[in-house]
Amino acid sequence: MDGGLILLVFLALLFAWGLNRVRRALRLGPVGYVGIVIVFVIVMLLLWGRTFR
């Protein structure tokens, strides 16, 4: 496996853990939670895609 991909998976897990804590604190609904996750996935894919240039 690519080292960068392993780092992205680790960051995603860390982000999910932190987001769960923030979601409880802000009382976000499922729509807000899904929106944040989609934005995070798009940003991570863009960052990962830049490494191939």
Side-chain angles (χ1 to χ4, degrees):
M1 267 182 100
D2 183 25
L5 191 58
I6 293 171
L7 179 62
L8 283 179
V9 169
F10 174 73
L11 286 175
L13 290 174
L14 188 64
F15 177 78
W17 176 77
L19 180 61
N20 204 17
R21 294 180 68 91
V22 169
R23 183 176 67 97
R24 285 187 191 145
L26 297 179
R27 301 195 186 279
L28 283 176
V31 175
Y33 186 74
V34 169
I36 292 173
V37 169
I38 289 173
V39 168
F40 175 76
V41 167
I42 290 171
V43 168
M44 285 297 119
L45 286 174
L46 288 173
L47 288 175
W48 185 59
R50 283 187 66 176
T51 60
F52 291 118
R53 286 186 181 183

